[in-house]
């Protein structure tokens, strides 16, 4: 007769394990959440494009500015944020934090301590940070993701590379673990789709790309 081996886990431990499995299952089923930063002189399409792409992919998007007042973009467009960043931070965590660029957009991002805080939280937690155009300058100013591969708007390459804090690449979109960066303007759609794929799945990203006539 075979003897059954005594189970090494108690019924209480098993109950806790099952509860954790259920929590993880429902977390995966819950809508993903994106925090999209909207700061003075940001390039408007680098804010609105990821917002549109992520929303179409079922991602819950929060548009956060330095205050809840309308923000003037690099082309003069007024965009109203959902709330101030300090309020949005209380509603985290977020699966992705998105930062736009603009000729002078990096300055307001670099000067705001809360921006540095949310970037640092993404880095430490392993959640995604998506930066485009000149916004890697703000990453550098806040000491974020040093040693990673990234790209930026070509005209600020020297600023980003100065100090050898990053491994600079020339691809349109560069992914290094939980960091996705891009050049800007023309590459904004591809970058947004890559971000969507990261936080959801390839099937969702392809569906949204097809709906927006980015692929056949």
């Amino acid at each position: 007769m075979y003897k059954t081996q005594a189970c090494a886990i108690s019924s209480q431990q098993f109950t806790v394990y099952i509860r954790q499995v259920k929590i993880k299952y429902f977390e995966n089923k819950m809508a993903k959440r994106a925090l999209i930063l909207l700061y003075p002189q940001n390039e408007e399409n680098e804010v609105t494009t990821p917002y549109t792409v992520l929303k179409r992919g079922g991602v819950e998007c929060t548009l956060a500015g330095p205050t809840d007042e309308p923000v003037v973009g690099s082309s003069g467009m007024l965009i109203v944020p959902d709330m101030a960043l300090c309020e949005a931070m209380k509603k985290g965590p977020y699966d992705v934090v998105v930062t736009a660029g603009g000729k002078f957009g990096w300055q307001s991002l670099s000067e705001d301590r809360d921006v540095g805080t949310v970037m640092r939280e993404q880095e430490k937690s392993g959640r995604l940070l998506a930066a485009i155009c000149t916004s890697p300058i703000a990453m550098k100013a806040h000491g974020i993701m040093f040693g990673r591969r990234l790209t930026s708007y070509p005209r600020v390459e020297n600023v980003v590379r100065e100090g050898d804090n990053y491994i600079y690449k020339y691809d349109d979109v560069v992914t290094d673990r939980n960091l996705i960066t891009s050049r800007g303007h023309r590459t904004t759609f591809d970058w947004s789709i890559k971000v969507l794929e990261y936080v959801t799945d390839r099937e969702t990203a392809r569906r949204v790309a097809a709906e927006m006539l980015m692929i056949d």
Side-chain angles (χ1 to χ4, degrees):
M1 180 179 294
Y2 292 99
K3 294 183 178 179
T4 57
Q5 184 176 355
C7 184
I9 185 172
S10 69
S11 60
Q12 183 178 4
Q13 289 172 320
F14 182 72
T15 301
V16 171
Y17 170 75
I18 293 298
R19 186 180 298 120
Q20 289 173 339
V21 170
K22 287 181 177 179
I23 290 172
K24 187 65 176 178
Y25 173 81
F26 285 111
E27 281 180 346
N28 291 336
K29 290 294 183 182
M30 289 173 62
K32 299 296 184 178
R33 306 177 67 226
L35 177 63
I36 302 175
L37 303 189
L38 169 65
Y39 269 63
Q41 296 301 305
N42 273 162
E43 192 69 42
E44 291 93 340
N45 77 305
E46 294 169 1
V47 174
T48 59
T49 300
Y51 186 96
T52 301
V53 167
L54 290 168
K55 286 285 281 188
R56 280 176 174 265
V59 178
E60 178 185 314
C61 296
T62 298
L63 204 57
T67 69
D68 59 2
E69 295 296 315
V71 174
V72 181
S74 62
S75 299
M77 182 185 292
L78 277 176
I79 305 177
V80 182
D82 295 315
M83 63 187 71
L85 178 56
C86 60
E87 291 302 315
M89 291 168 68
K90 299 174 185 177
K91 302 177 184 296
Y94 296 91
D95 297 286
V96 57
V97 170
V98 178
T99 61
K103 185 176 181 180
F104 302 109
W106 59 271
Q107 293 179 336
S108 55
L109 292 169
S110 299
E111 294 166 357
D112 192 313
R113 290 184 178 180
D114 284 343
V115 171
T117 299
V118 296
M119 284 183 169
R120 195 166 296 109
E121 174 60 25
Q122 295 302 107
E123 180 179 23
K124 289 181 177 179
S125 65
R127 291 187 293 270
L128 183 62
L129 175 62
I132 192 170
C133 193
T134 63
S135 63
I137 300 177
M139 287 174 46
K140 180 180 177 181
H142 294 297
I144 305 299
M145 304 278 191
F146 283 177
R148 300 291 190 90
R149 297 186 303 274
L150 55 62
T151 192
S152 71
Y153 191 67
R155 291 185 181 178
V156 300
E157 175 187 343
N158 290 338
V159 179
V160 175
R161 292 179 67 120
E162 185 180 5
D164 294 324
N165 296 304
Y166 302 107
I167 302 167
Y168 198 87
K169 297 293 182 179
Y170 296 93
D171 304 278
D172 286 348
V173 180
V174 176
T175 302
D176 188 341
R177 287 174 284 173
N178 61 323
L179 174 64
I180 301 178
T181 55
S182 189
R183 308 283 269 173
H185 295 293
R186 175 183 61 81
T187 69
T188 305
F189 272 108
D190 289 340
W191 170 69
S192 300
I193 288 294
K194 182 61 70 174
V195 172
L196 176 61
E197 181 180 336
Y198 186 101
V199 297
T200 58
D201 53 62
R202 181 171 295 181
E203 181 181 353
T204 300
R206 287 188 61 83
R207 174 182 60 78
V208 172
E211 289 175 354
M212 299 184 75
L213 306 182
M214 295 171 62
I215 60 173
D216 294 330

